[in-house]
Amino acid sequence: MSRKPGGGFIGDGLAQIGALGLFLLSVLAAVPRSLRYFAETVRQIFFVGAMSLVIIMTCGLFIGLVLGLQLYEVLSRFGSTASVGTVVAIALYRELGPVVTALLFAGRAGTSITAEIGLMRATDQLAAMEMMAVDPMAYVVAPRFLAGVIAMPLLASIFNALAIFGSHLVAVTWLGLDNGTFWSNMTGAVDVWTDVMNGVWKSAVFGAVVTLVATFQGYSTAPTSEGVAYATTRTVVYSSILTLAIDFLMTAFLM
Amino acid sequence: MTQRRSHQIGTGLFILLGFAALGYLATQTTSLANYRQGPTYALKARFTNVGQLKLRAPVKIAGVRIGSVSDIQLEPDRLEALVTLAIDNRYNQLPDDSAAAVFTSGLLGDQYVALKPGGSPDMFKNGDEIILTQSSMQLEELIGKYLVGSGDSPAKKPAESESATQEGKTP
Amino acid sequence: MSAVSTSSKDALVRIRGLRTRLGGKVIFDGVDLDIPRGGITAVMGPSGTGKTTLLRHITGQLQPDAGEIVVDGRNLAQLDRNGLFELRERIGYLFQNSALLTDFSVFENVAFPLRQHARLPEELIRNIVLPKLQAVGLRGAAELMPAELSGGMARRVALARAIVRDPMLLIYDEPFVGLDPIALNQVLKLIRVLNQTLGLTSIVVAHELSAVSRVADHIYLLAAGKVAAHGGPDELVRGDTDWTRQFFGGEADGPVPFHYPARDYASDLGFAKERA
Ligand SMILES: Nc1ncnc2c1ncn2[C@@H]1O[C@H](COP(=O)(O)OP(=O)(O)O)[C@@H](O)[C@H]1O
Ligand SMILES: [Mg+2]
């Protein structure tokens, strides 16, 4: 996976995407074998999911507070403060929830996945597994990938719930919007399938994207402490860019 | 082993919490919240024009949702819209001279039925009809009124259209 | 020198005509080598000659460009993934840096190969793991985490893990590096004792002649992509080639040059014109 110098920016980018695509195939091929190690997947859901709760909940709450403030201010110019709840909910479910959660997830869980697998590579733990006839793709990579796909929609939902709570706190408790107005406008305009579930699919895809990049970077890292450090940075950069690009494609063509 | 156990418990709690949040969002903050309603009673109202009013649109008093539109039909003999409202049973203290109007939320939002409480000592019962109604304000009509009314006497046209929609069947 | 030992019939590992290039560099250029059953064979050579690479070939982690590798009668080139895994289940491998799984305790590290390949009752796992830990003298450390171990202890745990499934072949990659004299003696003793009591075949990769000559029955000296010399320890030390003299005599210059290949010294210093 070493990159040849002078390959050119576009050539490098294409090579990376190609390598990532091949890696995706081998991860998917390893998923059935990884079901033997289901306990490992459960453990990884704990690490990537439960351990990300604090940052997800805190950020969700603050996003909700800010959205409540901003939208109340802006919508009051049109005399439509009644729609604060609606706009907050739709913006969160369709875009902000999945995307912001994915970016936070890349920083919190993605980096630790890369660093962990990179260190396993550098200290021969992956080779040791090969030697113990345990396939690291099935035992190390696939469970983390599955955990990301499972945990991300749940994290995004928790993020959204906290953000709704935050915007309610600002708009209703603080700025005095009527409670019934807030909720009834929201329930009148938000749809389960086109808004909530679309967000859930999106975040499952983002979970796959971030964990795929993170495991790929860790797996193919140069086995030195410097290599691990660079790989960790690349995980954040690449998975953020990829998340936003795929978000655009999904929104434009699928939803 | 014990560590593995605590990870399993933590994972279980996390998944529970996540699904609880998802379930809450899906059922309490979307139109699903309107399906799931307790026992209701029906009120009827006639409008000359319901505009964009849709089934399951909210019925509100003072901005608070108290029920939803359960049926919209054309009454063949009078060529008016007959709208059936399903009102939550806990809001059973509505004076029987309350008025109904089809409003738009915000400038361009969805339409809903607003009730304006009257002062009668008697309350609506299941199947009663709301006598005082006001039809939907069509944006086109408003603009037309404005353009025409600017040359005319300003009070005339709005008054006409208002009274036309007001059903004159007050006892 | 005839590279093939006479006992090639009962060799556990047989390598013929091995050729490998890695990153454009020739690592092996025609290596023939036999590892006899039941013995302790040492593979020695300067750093970077490809000793670890040779081990990766023997365990099928790396395919050679050319040549034949036969382990226990099976040609590695003809094995699929499952066949390789089956073979590896009977090979214990001690990594240069122990490679213990950082998430697991000492006990769980040693139990790991057992748990991955069979659903055994917990009691049976204890009855297998504890004797191995006892053998390396670390039964008392069963509940420690890898981060709490010294280098020598970690290596002994890795050794216990390597023998937990009673392998036929035990491979040690640089088992003496970074050990204090006490730990080194402990590891030496273990290599000897395990080989005798478990009746297995051992390959020891190292470059400490004093240590190796105390355990090895047979030594291969690799250099410049070829087998430079092989034979019993005494034989080799007395050997009279440039390689053996430099390697076992510890001379700074010889076939392995002291100077990294460079341009002419004078021209580097800027005297080229005057000379010419
Ligand atoms: N994957 C690889 N790609 C390129 N070069 C490699 C690779 N693995 C090892 N090498 C090179 O092969 C040579 C032999 O390495 P190694 O077998 O680790 O030597 P030793 O164990 O004898 O010190 C080294 O020069 C190393 O740089
Ligand atoms: Mg080496």
Side-chain angles (χ1 to χ4, degrees), chain B:
Chain B
M1 282 285 105
T2 60
Q3 201 190 13
R4 188 171 298 181
R5 181 124 201 92
S6 70
H7 288 157
Q8 284 169 353
I9 293 170
T11 303
L13 288 178
F14 166 69
I15 289 181
L16 272 184
L17 182 65
F19 273 105
L22 182 57
Y24 172 76
L25 297 180
T27 60
Q28 302 301 302
T29 71
T30 69
S31 45
L32 276 191
N34 308 343
Y35 286 103
R36 165 222 55 86
Q37 47 194 194
T40 60
Y41 64 99
L43 293 181
K44 291 186 187 342
R46 285 171 221 276
F47 298 92
T48 51
N49 188 347
V50 290
Q52 275 25 269
L53 191 70
K54 296 192 190 76
L55 278 182
R56 287 193 300 280
V59 177
K60 304 181 185 184
I61 290 183
V64 178
R65 178 196 182 89
I66 60 165
S68 62
V69 173
S70 60
D71 190 35
I72 302 175
Q73 281 191 348
L74 184 70
E75 216 176 34
D77 48 339
R78 301 168 67 170
L79 296 178
E80 284 175 343
L82 178 62
V83 175
T84 309
L85 312 176
I87 310 291
D88 285 5
N89 267 1
R90 57 191 165 126
Y91 302 115
N92 58 2
Q93 299 295 304
L94 305 179
D96 67 359
D97 58 347
S98 302
V102 178
F103 278 170
T104 307
S105 43
L107 196 53
L108 301 167
D110 276 351
Q111 294 193 301
Y112 65 96
V113 176
L115 296 188
K116 272 178 253 170
S120 164
D122 298 324
M123 303 299 156
F124 276 132
K125 297 183 303 293
N126 187 25
D128 281 359
E129 177 166 348
I130 303 173
I131 306 300
L132 286 170
T133 65
Q134 180 188 337
S135 287
S136 157
M137 292 281 222
Q138 302 294 85
L139 195 59
E140 301 92 317
E141 277 177 30
L142 286 177
I143 293 170
K145 254 182 262 170
Y146 179 75
L147 290 178
V148 176
S150 60
D152 250 52
S153 91
K156 192 183 158 201
K157 286 248 169 185
E160 182 196 310
S161 95
E162 286 286 322
S163 62
T165 57
Q166 206 89 26
E167 300 293 343
K169 289 195 296 176
T170 341

Side-chain angles (χ1 to χ4, degrees), chain C residues 47-48 50-53 55 96 173-174 205 207:
Chain C
S47 290
K51 303 182 294 293
T52 301
T53 308
L55 298 181
Q96 203 161 333
D173 192 0
E174 313 259 9
V205 159
H207 42 237

Side-chain angles (χ1 to χ4, degrees), chain C residues 90-156:
Chain C
R90 302 196 291 136
I91 300 178
Y93 196 111
L94 187 72
F95 280 84
Q96 203 161 333
N97 46 22
S98 300
L100 296 180
L101 306 182
T102 36
D103 278 355
F104 294 127
S105 67
V106 165
F107 183 92
E108 286 302 316
N109 258 289
V110 179
F112 185 84
L114 295 175
R115 291 195 196 284
Q116 297 316 315
H117 294 289
R119 281 214 161 275
L120 302 176
E122 199 56 29
E123 197 183 342
L124 184 57
I125 289 183
R126 288 185 73 78
N127 286 345
I128 300 175
V129 170
L130 288 180
K132 308 291 177 188
L133 280 174
Q134 173 76 10
V136 298
L138 289 177
R139 191 168 44 83
E143 294 312 317
L144 295 184
M145 296 301 284
E148 301 170 278
L149 303 177
S150 71
M153 285 163 79
R155 202 152 300 169
R156 279 147 69 195

Side-chain angles (χ1 to χ4, degrees), chain A residues 33 36-37 40 43-44 47 116 120 122-125 127-136 139 144, chain C residues 59 61 81 85 88-89 91 93 95-104 109 112-113 116-117 161:
Chain A
R33 280 178 279 142
R36 285 176 56 190
Y37 313 118
E40 186 58 19
R43 211 169 70 94
Q44 290 305 327
F47 285 122
E116 191 186 11
M120 290 172 100
T123 56
D124 278 339
Q125 290 181 50
M129 285 181 192
E130 284 269 350
M131 277 315 302
M132 291 184 279
V134 172
D135 178 9
Y139 186 80
R144 284 164 174 78
Chain C
T59 54
Q61 297 176 68
R81 189 179 183 82
F85 272 12
R88 282 183 198 161
E89 284 180 34
I91 300 178
Y93 196 111
F95 280 84
Q96 203 161 333
N97 46 22
S98 300
L100 296 180
L101 306 182
T102 36
D103 278 355
F104 294 127
N109 258 289
F112 185 84
Q116 297 316 315
H117 294 289
R161 183 178 67 177

